[in-house]
Amino acid sequence: MKRSPLPFFCCVLAMIFLCSFSAVAEAKTVYPLQLKAGTPSVWTQWRTLPAGDLKVSIDNKGPGPIHFYVLTHCGHLECPTLVSGEVKAGEHLRIEIPHPSGKYMFKLDNDEKLSSFADAVFSQESPKMAP
């Protein structure tokens, strides 16, 4: 009995479709941080990012200011800061930061009284690849 080539053909077409779809799909990389009252600082591990635009979103729920940092990896203890700033109590910060490929760390520092709490998300969409 002779088998039909149709199932094999359909399987090959499905694989081609899936491979071409994944080549043009975007992936979003997200690194959340939460700063709680009583905690001096929180930070991520070093994260490797391709060149692109890093999106920073921070909600400071107060009652004091917090500071944020995006540090660039280096071979010594005091690494350069790609960007840093302060977010006042009750404010929301949303910025985009263009950057070269490399390793980055994201850090939040509490106020002097350690009374503030905040939620932050550092994210980046991977660049689209050509089909």
Side-chain angles (χ1 to χ4, degrees), residues 24-118:
V24 296
E26 288 186 16
K28 188 170 187 174
T29 305
V30 177
Y31 303 106
L33 272 179
Q34 187 175 52
L35 181 66
K36 296 179 182 180
T39 305
S41 298
V42 292
W43 57 90
T44 64
Q45 298 293 320
W46 288 107
R47 305 295 184 182
T48 301
L49 296 174
D53 291 330
L54 178 66
K55 294 179 182 176
V56 177
S57 172
I58 301 173
D59 293 324
N60 183 355
K61 297 172 184 168
I66 62 159
H67 291 87
F68 71 94
Y69 306 89
V70 178
L71 304 169
T72 304
H73 188 264
C74 62
H76 48 84
L77 292 176
E78 296 205 15
C79 295
T81 302
L82 178 67
V83 66
S84 65
E86 180 180 275
V87 182
K88 294 180 180 170
E91 289 190 0
H92 308 286
L93 172 76
R94 308 275 187 277
I95 58 173
E96 280 191 34
I97 307 152
H99 65 86
S101 63
K103 286 185 176 185
Y104 297 92
M105 179 187 288
F106 316 117
K107 184 176 185 258
L108 298 176
D109 285 346
N110 212 328
D111 61 15
E112 292 175 356
K113 298 176 186 174
L114 305 179
S115 61
S116 290
F117 57 102

